[in-house]
């Protein structure tokens, strides 16, 4: 393959966005793939960058081919389907896929295992070297990043050394060390609940920009909506509660059908672990990981989100309600504020929060089943719930969120300038 330099491939220029009289340049920097359909954080950042690009910001991304659900031998086909082409950027260097995705100039370094946890030390070193070249040539004003690995922190320091403001996207409740955020000029997050969690845990200030999701509805005939849908049958996502509802439906509502999207886990192992009859699968249509959930929503009558762990927000909530799909969800983390009244929020027992494999008590199952059965059987209640969902989804329009994000990006640049001034004073004094 021919050696090719990294080219910024900017989005169309717009009105000057900073003091250099050129559009602001914003980049994403992480070994985690920006175009990972199974990663809510990556998908949100991609939506952010696309929205910024539509407003004249030059948007770029350097990542690895690390996915939450690796594509295996199908990776080349997936990347080519995204409009990316492979090539070596220098003699003997790693394979890099590049192209434009939704207005973002994307570069992706090949990682053999396609999983962040199993990337080798050589791959990490290659990515760091590639980042050095990319930062030097792209010259981003702002870098958006996330992650708590040693390499993640080094990449953020690299970006600062190249003069970029570093914005950390905080999208889950798993970070436990304040040191993770040391090489950062500003922290943004996807819900007020996440901001409150980290203010309490680490005394960290995080600015809520909301969840970035394309909430434009799609057209699908109501007659096609025939399933109760559950995405990711994992223990932390509430698979034991889902299976309790599935058993109840098998006994009391034979016509109720279920659709399970097996993005990060399969349903059958959970059934076996709990010692339940495998005949339950007769009521379930199972589909593998999807590059887009639009075909799923076209068939969804009701969405379940019975999460047991802290949910920072929940993309599926906005996607479902924007399509007028009623949601029954857990009262956990940022779910209530993200749902914004567009569905029913129900409590989860403390035992299930502590042990995600715990089967909920009958009282909990009764409450969830009562709401589910009513939406399934009562046409008037269902029609009202659909209207309520659509109305709530309007609060997630991207225009307001993008303006808030732009304000915060400029605040990050101001923080960067103050940081540089402090360093200059220290070096002279």
């Amino acid at each position: 393959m021919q050696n090719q330099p990294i080219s910024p491939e900017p989005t169309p220029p717009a009105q000057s966005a900073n003091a250099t009289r050129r559009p602001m340049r914003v980049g994403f920097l992480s070994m985690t793939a920006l175009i990972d359909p199974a990663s809510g954080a990556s998908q949100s950042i991609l939506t952010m960058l696309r929205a910024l690009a539509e407003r004249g910001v030059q948007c770029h991304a350097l990542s690895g081919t690390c996915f939450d659900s690796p594509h295996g031998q199908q990776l080349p086909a997936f990347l080519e389907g995204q409009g990316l082409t492979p090539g070596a950027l220098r003699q003997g260097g790693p394979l890099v896929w590049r192209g434009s995705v939704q207005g973002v100039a994307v570069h992706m370094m090949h990682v053999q295992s396609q999983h962040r946890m199993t990337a080798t030390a050589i791959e990490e070193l290659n990515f760091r070297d590639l980042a050095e070249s990319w930062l030097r040539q792209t010259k981003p004003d702002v870098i958006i990043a996330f992650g708590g690995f040693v390499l993640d922190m080094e990449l953020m320091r690299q970006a600062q050394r190249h003069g970029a403001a570093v914005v950390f996207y905080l999208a889950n409740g798993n970070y436990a060390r304040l040191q993770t955020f040391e090489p950062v000029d500003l922290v943004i997050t996807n819900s007020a609940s996440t901001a409150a969690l980290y203010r309490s845990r680490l005394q960290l200030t995080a600015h809520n920009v909301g969840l970035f999701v394309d909430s434009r509805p799609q057209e699908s005939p109501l007659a096609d909506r025939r399933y109760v849908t559950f995405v990711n049958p994992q223990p932390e996502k509430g698979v034991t509660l889902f299976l309790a509802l599935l058993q109840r439906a098998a006994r009391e509502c034979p016509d109720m059908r279920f659709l399970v999207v097996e993005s990060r886990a399969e349903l059958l192992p959970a059934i076996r672990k709990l010692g339940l009859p495998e005949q339950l699968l007769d009521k379930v249509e199972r589909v593998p990981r999807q590059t887009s959930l639009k075909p799923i929503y076209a068939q969804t009558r009701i969405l379940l989100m019975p999460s047991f762990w802290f949910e920072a927000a929940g993309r599926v909530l906005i996607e479902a309600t924007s399509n007028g799909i009623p949601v029954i969800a857990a009262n956990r983390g940022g779910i209530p504020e993200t749902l914004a009244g567009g569905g029913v929020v129900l409590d989860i027992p403390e035992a299930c929060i502590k042990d995600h494999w715990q089967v909920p008590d009958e009282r909990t199952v009764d409450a969830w089943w009562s709401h589910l059965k009513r939406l399934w059987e009562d046409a008037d209640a269902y029609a009202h719930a659909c209207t309520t969902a659509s109305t709530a989804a309007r609060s997630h329009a991207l225009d307001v969120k993008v303006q808030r994000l732009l304000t915060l990006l400029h605040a990050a640049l101001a923080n960067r300038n103050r940081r540089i001034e402090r360093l200059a004073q220290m070096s002279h004094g």
Side-chain angles (χ1 to χ4, degrees), residues 90-230:
R90 58 180 172 81
Q91 189 69 36
L95 178 68
V96 176
W97 294 78
R98 64 182 193 160
S100 180
V101 179
Q102 298 185 29
V104 181
V106 172
H107 290 79
M108 297 183 70
M109 190 194 85
H110 183 75
V111 176
Q112 185 65 33
S113 69
Q114 302 178 32
H115 198 282
R116 182 64 185 88
M117 294 294 289
T118 52
T120 67
I122 292 297
E123 288 173 330
E124 289 192 337
L125 182 60
N126 284 337
F127 190 82
R128 184 200 175 282
D129 290 345
L130 186 62
E132 185 71 19
S133 175
W134 180 81
L135 286 164
R136 185 172 58 251
Q137 295 186 39
T138 303
K139 295 180 174 60
D141 300 300
V142 179
I143 284 294
I144 299 176
F146 60 72
F149 290 107
V150 172
L151 177 62
D152 298 321
M153 298 176 69
E154 170 58 18
L155 292 171
M156 290 186 278
R157 292 190 185 97
Q158 263 186 292
Q160 287 189 333
R161 289 195 293 270
H162 280 270
V166 174
V167 174
F168 193 103
Y169 182 58
L170 186 55
N172 62 55
N174 299 333
Y175 295 95
R177 300 172 67 251
L178 187 60
Q179 292 89 335
T180 300
F181 305 94
E182 284 181 354
V184 171
D185 293 294
L186 196 78
V187 180
I188 59 175
T189 189
N190 54 8
S191 72
S193 295
T194 310
L197 174 70
Y198 283 96
R199 186 166 54 248
S200 173
R201 179 187 295 170
L202 300 176
Q203 290 74 58
L204 178 72
T205 299
H207 303 270
N208 176 27
V209 294
L211 191 60
F212 276 67
V213 178
D214 184 353
S215 59
R216 290 172 293 188
Q218 63 188 73
E219 294 184 10
S220 58
L222 201 59
D224 292 341
R225 297 185 177 183
R226 56 190 182 276
Y227 292 117
V228 176
T229 296
F230 176 48

Side-chain angles (χ1 to χ4, degrees), residues 145-412:
F146 60 72
F149 290 107
V150 172
L151 177 62
D152 298 321
M153 298 176 69
E154 170 58 18
L155 292 171
M156 290 186 278
R157 292 190 185 97
Q158 263 186 292
Q160 287 189 333
R161 289 195 293 270
H162 280 270
V166 174
V167 174
F168 193 103
Y169 182 58
L170 186 55
N172 62 55
N174 299 333
Y175 295 95
R177 300 172 67 251
L178 187 60
Q179 292 89 335
T180 300
F181 305 94
E182 284 181 354
V184 171
D185 293 294
L186 196 78
V187 180
I188 59 175
T189 189
N190 54 8
S191 72
S193 295
T194 310
L197 174 70
Y198 283 96
R199 186 166 54 248
S200 173
R201 179 187 295 170
L202 300 176
Q203 290 74 58
L204 178 72
T205 299
H207 303 270
N208 176 27
V209 294
L211 191 60
F212 276 67
V213 178
D214 184 353
S215 59
R216 290 172 293 188
Q218 63 188 73
E219 294 184 10
S220 58
L222 201 59
D224 292 341
R225 297 185 177 183
R226 56 190 182 276
Y227 292 117
V228 176
T229 296
F230 176 48
V231 180
N232 286 334
Q234 298 172 288
E236 61 269 28
K237 294 291 187 178
V239 69
T240 60
L241 178 49
F242 170 76
L243 287 171
L245 295 171
L246 182 59
Q247 292 177 82
R248 191 69 67 88
R251 294 195 303 267
E252 300 181 21
C253 194
D255 66 326
M256 188 179 290
R257 299 290 299 172
F258 294 83
L259 176 62
V260 173
V261 182
E262 297 179 323
S263 294
R264 300 185 186 181
E266 295 181 352
L267 186 60
L268 181 56
I271 288 176
R272 288 173 173 169
K273 181 178 178 67
L274 297 173
L276 300 176
E278 295 184 16
Q279 289 84 351
L280 284 172
L281 292 176
D282 294 342
K283 290 185 67 63
V284 181
E285 181 76 21
R286 292 174 292 162
V287 296
R289 178 190 64 233
Q290 305 287 298
T291 56
S292 170
L293 288 181
K294 288 183 178 181
I296 302 300
Y297 295 127
Q299 303 174 71
T300 296
R301 183 171 178 83
I302 302 163
L303 180 76
L304 296 178
M305 191 175 181
S307 293
F308 290 174
W309 70 348
F310 179 91
E311 290 281 0
R315 294 182 63 83
V316 294
L317 300 175
I318 300 176
E319 291 170 342
T321 55
S322 67
N323 285 288
I325 299 170
V327 177
I328 305 175
N331 186 16
R332 296 287 290 143
I335 288 177
E337 66 180 277
T338 305
L339 196 52
V344 177
V345 176
L346 300 173
D347 290 334
I348 297 296
E350 189 65 28
C352 295
I353 294 172
K354 293 179 179 179
D355 177 6
H356 296 159
W357 279 110
Q358 179 70 39
V359 177
D361 57 83
E362 283 300 310
R363 181 177 179 181
T364 299
V365 178
D366 286 344
W368 282 73
W369 175 245
S370 175
H371 285 282
L372 178 58
K373 188 178 181 184
R374 181 166 181 257
L375 286 177
W376 187 265
E377 296 182 339
D378 188 328
D380 291 338
Y382 181 76
H384 177 74
C386 291
T387 301
T388 301
S390 296
T391 301
R394 295 174 193 152
S395 66
H396 290 289
L398 283 181
D399 284 345
V400 175
K401 294 180 181 180
V402 174
Q403 289 306 313
R404 165 76 169 157
L405 176 62
L406 281 168
T407 298
L408 288 170
L409 295 183
H410 283 288

Side-chain angles (χ1 to χ4, degrees), residues 18 22-27 57-58 60 137-142:
N18 59 24
R22 63 159 172 78
M24 180 188 288
R25 288 180 187 158
V26 177
V57 177
Q58 294 181 352
H60 309 262
Q137 295 186 39
T138 303
K139 295 180 174 60
D141 300 300
V142 179

